[in-house]
Amino acid sequence: MPSPSSFSDRPAVLVADLAQLDMLRSRARGRVTDLVYAAGELTVSEIAEALDQKPTAMYRHLDALVGCGLLIEGEPVRTGKTLARVFAAPAKRIEFPREEASAEERSAVADILDSQLRLAGKEARADIEAPGGSSVRSGSGIGWLTEKERVRVAKLLAEALAIVEGGQRGEGKSLCGVTYALRPVSR
């Protein structure tokens, strides 16, 4: 299997299939997908440990994600006396359709975003309430923007996301997530 860094040159996985969208509607499968896309190649045990789950609970999710093309399975690696299954992302990021999406696909994307935002809030709360302070940096803002300003904000968010997505595992680093929605406040 190519190294995870070689995936950064590949185009994004465009999720336009309802089966893929339904996979990502599942909070468990969404978390697995987010983790593998962020961390690169991981064994089942590493995925389970990072998500505080048992490895046996991961297999059906991983097999389903591979089956629909959201993850790829690499060559097993030896861990002690056994071979461990390895999973990776086929690209650096997942993107959702916008222009040609059906009402059902748009609804699925909205469900996925809703789930991601709620999970981000839950994880931020756990960090904020943990003894010893918080490493969460958060905020929210509403303002009147021209189309040119909205495009500028979207580019800045994309730049911040690129920094986060470009990070590789290493000493002194921790896995961090960014969840955002640049949206109209009312229609």
Side-chain angles (χ1 to χ4, degrees):
M1 171 186 299
S3 69
S5 61
S6 67
F7 296 134
S8 62
D9 296 335
R10 295 184 185 180
V13 172
L14 182 61
V15 176
D17 178 271
L18 277 174
Q20 290 177 318
L21 290 167
D22 284 341
M23 287 286 162
L24 295 173
R25 276 181 165 160
S26 157
R27 180 173 283 175
R29 291 179 180 161
R31 291 192 80 200
V32 168
T33 304
D34 288 345
L35 175 65
V36 174
Y37 274 73
E41 293 180 356
L42 295 171
T43 66
V44 175
S45 294
E46 290 170 326
I47 294 167
E49 181 181 338
L51 299 177
D52 198 27
Q53 298 290 320
K54 293 182 180 178
T56 54
M58 296 287 98
Y59 287 108
R60 70 182 172 91
H61 296 304
L62 291 163
D63 289 338
L65 290 164
V66 168
C68 76
L70 291 172
L71 294 181
I72 56 176
E73 187 167 357
E75 293 297 319
V77 296
R78 183 154 303 280
T79 57
K81 294 181 180 181
T82 63
L83 288 176
R85 292 175 69 188
V86 175
F87 296 87
K92 187 62 179 172
R93 76 174 51 84
I94 293 174
E95 291 181 2
F96 298 104
R98 295 200 326 233
E99 288 77 23
E100 299 106 29
S102 69
E104 191 174 5
E105 291 165 341
R106 287 192 309 273
S107 177
V109 170
D111 288 347
I112 293 164
L113 179 60
D114 183 56
S115 178
Q116 290 172 334
L117 290 169
R118 277 191 270 147
L119 180 59
K122 181 179 176 182
E123 290 173 340
R125 174 180 288 278
D127 187 66
I128 289 167
E129 292 177 348
S134 169
S135 59
V136 172
R137 301 294 177 258
S138 63
S140 178
I142 296 175
W144 298 96
L145 301 176
T146 64
E147 180 63 17
K148 184 177 177 181
E149 292 167 330
R150 190 197 60 75
V151 168
R152 181 171 177 239
V153 170
K155 285 180 180 178
L156 290 168
L157 288 168
E159 185 178 333
L161 195 57
I163 292 168
V164 172
E165 289 176 343
Q168 299 293 319
R169 282 190 288 184
E171 192 171 324
K173 293 189 172 191
S174 60
L175 191 59
C176 295
V178 173
T179 305
Y180 68 89
L182 178 60
R183 80 237 182 260
V185 173
S186 62
R187 288 233 172 220

